[in-house]
Amino acid sequence: MSSCFALSSAQQGLWYAQHLDPSNPIFNTAHYADIQSPLDVSLFTQAVNRVLEQADVLRLRLCIQDDMAQQCFDGPQPVLEVHTACSTAEEALAHMRADQQQALDLRYDSAARFILFVLNTHHFIFYMRVHHLAADGYAMNLLETRILQHYLALTEDKPCPAPLSSIHDVLADDQRYLHSPKYQKDRNFWLEQLQPDLDVASLASTTALSAPTFLAHHQPVSTQWSQKLLQFCATHQYPWPDVLTLLSAVYIARHTGQYDSVFGVPYMGRMGNQSALAIATVMNVAPLPLQIDEQLSVPDFLHQGMGALMHTRRHGRYRSEQLRRDLGLLGEMRRLHGPLINILPFDTPYDQTPLHATSHVLCAGPVEDLNITFRAGTQAQG
């Protein structure tokens, strides 16, 4: 008989949202890499399966009794599927979209699927789909990074990376936090900072349940603009991800007319604990309250805003779902924050390999409002 474990605080809100909307596939996170260079399929398969064996959360199975969910890790072990029937990227993409858009019942369905589409000897597509209960964006990146490290270890006789941490380490760390003085300190901070009648910036006047799909627009940032940003940050000794976050908040405020508002920023919650090397869902969306004064100079505004970012990160582990309950924001789909501003200041996993590949996100999970995401280019130069 397999042991069952309580959901982590990060998983509980996701499960409840899925429970309310069980036919919605938006909880399937899905990425793919378009690889246009030679690939040793046998060694790549070995590399993928090595990592999947270490990621015990991918065997997640839900046990539901009296509308309460627990999790076991005795589901089928996922392995890489190699598909050779597709001859074009368009065919492979249609196959991936069809898979991602199937809602999963984790009492019976596997939480993860991995496919390598072999289009020809120099063109491959690697697809990863994992339910959000098992992996967040950081975990998806970690999975792919570890797979490529193992592939290089096999093809170039390099040492294998350290093994991944277990989901059980993450669950234990979550319990330690929930019963620590830090948890109460974080809660008290947010209850002092935010009020139940808080005003949040949004480009929409109403709220709605997350749709099964989302609209996305990709816009490259010019090299000239990136260089100006980096030069400004170097001159004033500002971290460029923080500057982008704060300038994005001003952009939203100018469009909404709400200059005293709350924005959303990701809090990874992994530094300094076992989850840094674990496949799991840990990330929180923390509120960032800002009072934007257009009369301030840019350096003065950034100095003020970075203080707010520092406080948000210091207390960002306290779950936004719990904070909504604390503030009584559950009724009428009331928001805790407006648009999410997400900065990804790291290279894609393929930038550190000889493989020529472009990474794509099919689905990153539910979208409550507008998400603005900046992804760094090669070597994180903007």
Side-chain angles (χ1 to χ4, degrees):
M1 183 75 177
S2 298
S3 299
C4 289
F5 304 86
L7 299 181
S8 71
S9 51
Q11 291 174 310
Q12 288 172 8
L14 287 169
W15 174 79
Y16 184 67
Q18 177 83 86
H19 187 60
L20 290 177
D21 195 11
S23 62
N24 194 339
I26 199 70
F27 299 92
N28 296 336
T29 59
H31 297 187
Y32 74 92
D34 191 333
I35 304 170
Q36 300 199 32
S37 57
L39 185 76
D40 187 317
V41 174
S42 176
L43 294 182
F44 189 79
T45 300
Q46 288 184 50
V48 173
N49 290 339
R50 277 185 184 180
V51 176
L52 300 189
E53 287 178 5
Q54 295 178 14
D56 47 1
V57 73
L58 300 181
R59 299 179 62 198
L60 182 150
R61 181 176 61 85
L62 287 183
C63 311
I64 301 175
Q65 187 173 9
D66 298 328
D67 279 343
M68 296 295 292
Q70 289 189 308
Q71 58 189 333
C72 304
F73 303 102
D74 60 358
Q77 174 65 52
V79 295
L80 180 67
E81 304 170 35
V82 178
H83 289 200
T84 58
C86 296
S87 58
T88 67
E90 290 74 20
E91 288 180 80
L93 182 58
H95 191 106
M96 291 185 284
R97 289 194 185 281
D99 177 75
Q100 186 277 319
Q101 290 171 6
Q102 290 187 1
L104 301 178
D105 184 340
L106 294 185
R107 292 174 298 176
Y108 314 108
D109 298 325
S110 175
R113 192 178 188 191
F114 299 82
I115 303 174
L116 181 68
F117 295 92
V118 181
L119 305 184
N120 59 52
T121 57
H122 287 70
H123 195 180
F124 306 83
I125 292 179
F126 177 46
Y127 169 69
M128 307 192 307
R129 186 263 294 152
V130 184
H131 194 282
H132 213 353
L133 277 172
D136 56 19
Y138 177 99
M140 295 291 281
N141 186 274
L142 177 60
L143 261 177
E144 201 161 15
T145 298
R146 275 292 190 268
I147 287 167
L148 292 170
Q149 288 172 340
H150 276 277
Y151 179 68
L152 292 180
L154 290 167
T155 58
E156 300 181 6
D157 197 27
K158 292 185 176 181
C160 289
L164 295 170
S165 300
S166 169
I167 182 61
H168 297 289
D169 297 324
V170 177
L171 297 177
D173 184 70
D174 183 59
Q175 286 299 311
R176 283 192 293 270
Y177 171 69
L178 292 175
H179 295 90
S180 71
K182 181 69 166 64
Y183 175 84
Q184 191 60 48
K185 183 177 180 180
D186 291 341
R187 181 178 187 272
N188 292 341
F189 170 81
W190 288 117
L191 293 182
E192 291 173 3
Q193 288 289 309
L194 303 174
Q195 301 299 321
D197 59 349
L198 59 86
D199 191 20
V200 301
S202 177
L203 298 177
S205 59
T206 59
T207 58
L209 287 172
S210 184
T213 59
F214 60 90
L215 301 175
H217 175 71
H218 303 273
Q219 178 64 48
V221 176
S222 71
T223 302
Q224 182 182 15
W225 191 91
S226 298
Q227 289 175 345
K228 285 184 177 180
L229 172 69
L230 294 173
Q231 185 177 23
F232 174 85
C233 293
T235 300
H236 294 276
Q237 296 185 319
Y238 293 146
W240 69 262
D242 290 358
V243 172
L244 263 184
T245 297
L246 295 169
L247 293 181
S248 298
V250 174
Y251 175 84
I252 294 166
R254 287 179 174 177
H255 278 273
T256 62
Q258 297 169 274
Y259 287 86
D260 184 358
S261 190
V262 183
F263 305 87
V265 291
Y267 175 78
M268 294 301 174
R270 292 176 178 264
M271 297 303 103
N273 59 61
Q274 290 289 328
S275 64
L277 291 178
I279 306 305
T281 284
V282 177
M283 192 192 80
N284 187 28
V285 178
L288 174 63
L290 287 177
Q291 293 179 324
I292 299 171
D293 184 353
E294 292 272 19
Q295 302 304 313
L296 291 176
S297 67
V298 171
D300 286 345
F301 164 69
L302 292 175
H303 179 76
Q304 181 188 79
M306 286 181 191
L309 274 170
M310 179 188 69
H311 287 299
T312 287
R313 289 167 179 153
R314 185 174 293 166
H315 303 282
R317 189 169 182 179
Y318 191 79
R319 297 299 307 178
S320 60
E321 301 91 345
Q322 182 59 50
L323 187 52
R324 278 180 170 165
R325 288 191 284 270
D326 294 341
L327 295 172
L329 297 178
L330 297 181
E332 300 178 0
M333 298 292 293
R334 297 170 65 192
R335 289 188 176 100
L336 176 64
H337 56 77
L340 172 68
I341 304 169
N342 188 16
I343 313 297
L344 304 175
F346 38 76
D347 298 347
T348 68
Y350 293 88
D351 291 334
Q352 306 301 322
T353 76
L355 298 174
H356 299 290
T358 53
S359 297
H360 304 267
V361 177
L362 282 179
C363 183
V367 177
E368 290 190 12
D369 200 290
L370 175 70
N371 285 8
I372 299 177
T373 300
F374 292 90
R375 182 184 293 276
T378 303
Q379 305 303 320
Q381 291 300 303

